[in-house]
Amino acid sequence: MNNTVPPLVLNSSLKCNGCGALLVFVPGSGNLKCDHCGVSNPIATDQNASTIKSFDYKLFVDRIDQSKKNEDLKMVKCSSCGSETVLSAFTTSDRCSFCTAPLVLSTQNGQQYVPPHYILPFEISKEQATYFFQNWLNKLWWTPSDLIKQVKSSTSAIQGVYLPHWSFDTTTTSAFTGNRGDYYYTTENYTVTAENGKTENRTRQVRHTRWTPVTGEVDNIFNDLMVPASKSLPHKTLKALSPWNFDLLVKFDERYMSGFRSETYQISPEQGFSLASDQTKDSIRFTIQSKIGGDEQQISGFYTDFNKKAIKYIMLPVWVSAYVYNKKIYQFTINASTGEVIGERPLSWTKIILFVFMVLILLCLVVLMV
């Protein structure tokens, strides 16, 4: 863990070396490309900055207002779904990536955001994402027959968005109370009556549990507790998008965002750490049970102190598409690191009822043939 919070400075070198036009990041290439003249401009990386490390949690939270930037990018909040997105300063109107509602960007001053520590650059191109999306859509069962047509006519263009995530490290000390159960056995006499009426005396071993009150402390170490900082996508979707290819994680550089959107966090670091702490409970319980020992364990309660808290603010890439069917919004999300597709869809109850009806007919025929 690094005990200092480094200055988070935006890189503004987004002009083409050939013609001076705006450069756009090309997924999976490590290069910026000029849409005007086609020249590729490699992103020069600092080899000394390749190590991924965490930063002191308290210092980050205390200085978060000082880290905010108000330069070449600006933040807009969707009035429909509440998502907050960082857009290029040159954008004046657009549609929300998550709900397709129109966005009208304010030009007022004071729109600020906190630059992340690290970013996972796009690996899946827009063309690849469209292919994965269409292939997934064609395989859906129980969907209305006109779904694909409706999607083509009402879907927003697939858009690349960086979603904010918190990653936490911490050590814990947990004081607990409980009971240790140790098995012991006693011999019990019993009588068995045979069919002829004769009785026979027998013995058997009966297990009992001797409970002993226990108290103590256990220590645990937790690294990379991931918490999505976005509320724009359902939690189950964000969870299902895992795993991510964190081997490709790099130090944050504005150039990787060129041509894409970046949502700002809607869950604060404090809220994020509270959610991360919930992820530790099962592991702590397991450690307590191991410490209690015996054949059975009862945990009456435990209290945990979180120490050496550290944080990483990370941006993860997704392709997002939304469409409207019967006045309801459905979202599709593609992990732009692995190609995993997670989506919502309407159900055709007509198809489901017809299928059930056909199954019942087949069952009746089978019964009649028997």
Side-chain angles (χ1 to χ4, degrees), residues 62-260:
D62 289 345
R63 299 179 184 179
I64 197 167
D65 288 334
Q66 301 173 22
S67 301
K68 289 184 178 180
K69 300 295 178 183
N70 186 16
E71 298 182 2
D72 296 332
L73 304 175
K74 56 187 175 183
M75 184 180 72
V76 60
K77 183 172 183 178
C78 176
S79 59
S80 178
C81 70
S83 64
E84 294 184 355
T85 306
V86 177
L87 302 177
S88 165
F90 301 103
T91 306
T92 57
S93 64
D94 213 325
R95 285 187 176 272
C96 177
S97 304
F98 303 99
C99 71
T100 74
L103 295 177
V104 178
L105 310 187
S106 172
T107 57
Q108 65 182 355
N109 294 325
Q111 294 173 310
Q112 298 180 321
Y113 73 103
V114 178
H117 296 120
Y118 300 103
I119 188 169
L120 184 62
F122 273 74
E123 280 291 310
I124 304 298
S125 68
K126 186 173 184 178
E127 292 73 21
Q128 290 173 314
T130 302
Y131 171 79
F132 291 143
F133 169 76
Q134 292 177 345
N135 189 50
W136 181 84
L137 191 63
N138 289 330
K139 292 181 179 179
L140 294 180
W141 292 5
W142 314 125
T143 55
S145 300
D146 62 343
L147 175 63
I148 295 179
K149 181 179 179 181
Q150 289 290 329
V151 169
K152 290 181 178 179
S153 63
S154 66
T155 185
S156 62
I158 293 180
Q159 297 177 348
V161 183
Y162 282 104
L163 297 180
H165 285 68
W166 302 116
S167 176
F168 298 97
D169 303 333
T170 186
T171 61
T172 61
T173 299
S174 304
F176 67 87
T177 59
N179 294 283
R180 169 180 172 140
D182 293 290
Y183 295 153
Y184 68 95
Y185 296 84
T186 60
T187 301
E188 181 180 81
N189 297 316
Y190 68 100
T191 301
V192 175
T193 302
E195 292 182 359
N196 58 10
K198 292 183 178 182
T199 61
E200 180 182 353
N201 294 324
R202 296 183 182 180
T203 62
R204 60 187 171 194
Q205 294 294 104
V206 180
R207 192 184 75 184
H208 306 275
T209 304
R210 181 181 294 108
W211 292 102
T212 306
V214 293
T215 60
E217 288 186 349
V218 295
D219 297 320
N220 287 84
I221 299 175
F222 297 95
N223 292 313
D224 299 321
L225 297 171
M226 295 295 300
V227 176
S230 170
K231 294 182 180 179
S232 301
L233 292 174
H235 178 73
K236 63 179 182 179
T237 297
L238 293 170
K239 184 177 181 180
L241 285 170
S242 299
W244 302 86
N245 190 359
F246 286 120
D247 290 339
L248 300 177
L249 200 66
V250 297
K251 184 178 179 181
F252 176 74
D253 190 313
E254 180 196 3
R255 291 173 292 182
Y256 292 110
M257 292 173 55
S258 184
F260 302 96

Side-chain angles (χ1 to χ4, degrees), residues 2-13:
N2 192 336
N3 290 324
T4 61
V5 178
L8 302 175
V9 181
L10 289 179
N11 190 314
S12 59
S13 57

